[in-house]
Amino acid sequence: MPRHRPARLAHIAGIGVDRMGAIADDADGPPFLRLENLDVDIPPDAEAIARTVRAASEDSDNSYLPFVGQSRLREVAARHVSELSGVAYDGARQCVISAGGLSGILNALLATVEVGDEVLVTDPTYAGLLNRIRLAGGTPKYVPFRFTPGGEWKLDREALATAVGPRVRVMLLMSPSMPTGGYFDADDWRAIAALCVQHDLTLILDTAMERLLYDGRQVIHPAGLPGMAERTITVGSSAKELRMIGWRVGWTVAPESYMPDLVAVSLANVVVPVGIAQDAVATALAQSAHTLAPYVSELERRRDTVLEELKGLPVGVPAGGWSLLLRTSDFGIDGQTLSERLLTHRVCATAMKGWGETHGAQYLRFVFSNEPVERLRGLGDKVRAALGA
């Protein structure tokens, strides 16, 4: 007999990354070009690794406590968000630590979204974020990025204003966005903030990549805009900016009015990350203002290499982040078809079915964080061969 499936799982979609990663991991022969998942081959700061090793033998780190996260990490995370936003946050009262950034996103959604509420997101948005909206009982409401082949992704501000209806309670946004690398400029954030204030919306800000910006762009943190300090929940992560993916540590910094619910959900969910990871993340985050630039420069070199390899093809130029998209429908195929063809060329990349309404299955995502420039060269020939172009 078929098993009863909870209704909350009806629209939970696979993200495809796990399947593509398994193909590359298990294959015989020459190694695949790993462009399918958000890993990075650049190691974390040496001080963070040393602190992790030391923590593995210290009794104070072999603990659940404090349930809201270690004090130093909360202080460092709150100070980090304060410096970027211009809003004064207190680590003891306005920060809770989560088991990774996505765990923090789910906690924030569970603390703010009623069943049936709409959550405004960009189109496309990473499927893992969409799935968490649905797990929380919400429904994604899409606002499309405008795609121009060979150009940057741009927010459609008119569509944004139109999308805010009576069921929208929360915006879940990130800049640069994942998977496009789309960036909200100052005018975009002013438009977003005005709508949040006008309609009394909560902004859940995913800052996993907010400092991974190219071409001299500056971080704009919207909590500092008029009316936004009291309605912005900032969720950060050690994975992308600090290159500490396996540590699985995130932080949520928010106005005090949200904190009781955020803490209650956190305690009912995963509680906190492993103790041996937290102070290492605090160490890396505290020094990241001085250590981040060379890493971002290397990512920019990789982005530029992929763009040069795919020159003339319908790709979107990412303003930041780890990935870019190729529109495969221009060649009469979907992203999944191109993904399968590229496997024969030893290239592993993830299709995007279910990642959006306007922009989804007709794209293929290439992640450039896990391969050096030398290995990225030659990608264009393989893609063109797979396209038959």
Side-chain angles (χ1 to χ4, degrees):
M1 293 179 61
R3 181 183 64 83
H4 171 73
R5 196 163 186 251
R8 75 175 66 89
L9 299 179
H11 300 289
I12 299 297
I15 61 175
V17 177
D18 51 342
R19 187 180 72 85
M20 298 307 299
I23 289 172
D25 285 339
D26 297 340
D28 296 325
F32 274 82
L33 191 63
R34 301 299 295 267
L35 308 179
E36 85 285 356
N37 80 92
L38 293 175
D39 276 347
V40 62
D41 64 332
I42 303 169
D45 294 343
E47 293 86 346
I49 295 174
R51 181 64 185 94
T52 307
V53 172
R54 191 169 79 249
S57 63
E58 295 189 358
D59 183 65
S60 60
D61 290 311
N62 185 25
S63 175
Y64 291 114
L65 301 174
F67 282 150
V68 291
Q70 293 180 3
S71 297
R72 178 178 177 237
L73 177 55
R74 289 158 62 206
E75 292 168 3
V76 170
R79 183 167 63 248
H80 170 71
V81 177
S82 296
E83 290 171 352
L84 290 177
S85 67
V87 178
Y89 292 102
D90 181 272
R93 296 182 290 110
Q94 293 179 271
C95 182
V96 60
I97 304 304
S98 61
L102 284 172
S103 178
I105 293 290
L106 179 58
N107 289 346
L109 289 165
L110 288 168
T112 57
V113 173
E114 292 276 11
V115 173
D117 283 352
E118 292 180 334
V119 178
L120 193 147
V121 296
T122 55
D123 185 341
T125 283
Y126 170 54
L129 292 172
L130 302 177
N131 285 343
R132 283 161 177 81
I133 292 171
R134 294 175 177 125
L135 281 175
T139 301
K141 183 71 174 289
Y142 295 96
V143 174
F145 275 115
R146 294 196 301 269
F147 174 75
T148 303
E152 297 172 10
W153 295 83
K154 295 294 185 181
L155 179 67
D156 187 333
R157 292 202 289 265
E158 290 184 6
L160 173 73
T162 302
V164 181
R167 292 175 55 203
V168 174
R169 292 289 180 270
V170 171
M171 293 191 186
L172 172 56
L173 301 174
M174 65 186 302
S175 176
S177 183
M178 190 165 69
T180 62
Y183 169 79
F184 299 150
D185 62 22
D187 289 336
D188 292 330
W189 277 124
R190 279 192 287 268
I192 291 165
L195 288 168
C196 286
V197 172
Q198 178 184 350
H199 297 279
D200 192 23
L201 306 180
T202 296
L203 172 64
I204 300 175
L205 181 66
D206 183 343
T207 63
M209 297 184 175
E210 71 175 338
R211 294 183 292 169
L212 304 184
L213 296 173
Y214 309 138
D215 308 310
R217 291 178 175 84
Q218 300 299 310
V219 174
I220 304 173
H221 194 296
L225 296 174
M228 293 303 292
E230 60 265 33
R231 65 182 71 252
T232 301
I233 298 174
T234 300
V235 181
S237 167
S238 67
K240 312 301 189 303
E241 292 191 351
L242 305 182
R243 309 178 304 284
M244 300 175 75
I245 297 171
W247 277 249
R248 309 311 305 140
V249 175
W251 50 89
T252 301
V253 176
E256 286 192 70
S257 61
Y258 288 97
M259 291 309 299
D261 291 339
L262 289 168
V263 170
V265 171
S266 178
L267 293 180
N269 190 2
V270 185
V271 191
V272 293
V274 293
I276 63 174
Q278 292 185 55
D279 200 54
V281 169
T283 296
L285 183 58
Q287 65 186 23
S288 62
H290 308 292
T291 60
L292 195 67
Y295 162 50
V296 175
S297 295
E298 173 59 21
L299 290 176
E300 188 168 353
R301 287 181 64 231
R302 297 179 184 194
R303 180 207 63 167
D304 292 347
T305 300
V306 175
L307 288 174
E308 181 63 30
E309 289 290 325
L310 302 182
K311 189 174 182 178
L313 297 178
V315 299
V317 177
W322 280 7
S323 62
L324 58 80
L325 307 185
L326 166 66
R327 190 169 64 186
T328 61
S329 57
D330 291 33
F331 302 89
I333 59 175
D334 61 11
Q336 184 60 46
T337 300
L338 180 58
S339 175
E340 292 169 359
R341 290 182 186 178
L342 281 171
L343 291 175
T344 65
H345 298 274
R346 313 300 289 184
V347 175
C348 202
T350 302
M352 288 183 35
K353 182 179 179 180
W355 293 41
E357 291 180 330
T358 302
H359 308 295
Q362 73 273 42
Y363 290 86
L364 187 65
R365 181 183 72 158
F366 295 100
V367 178
F368 47 82
S369 59
N370 204 29
E371 294 283 4
V373 165
E374 293 72 21
R375 279 179 49 80
L376 291 171
R377 294 194 176 109
L379 173 64
D381 290 340
K382 296 173 182 178
V383 170
R384 289 179 176 85
L387 287 170

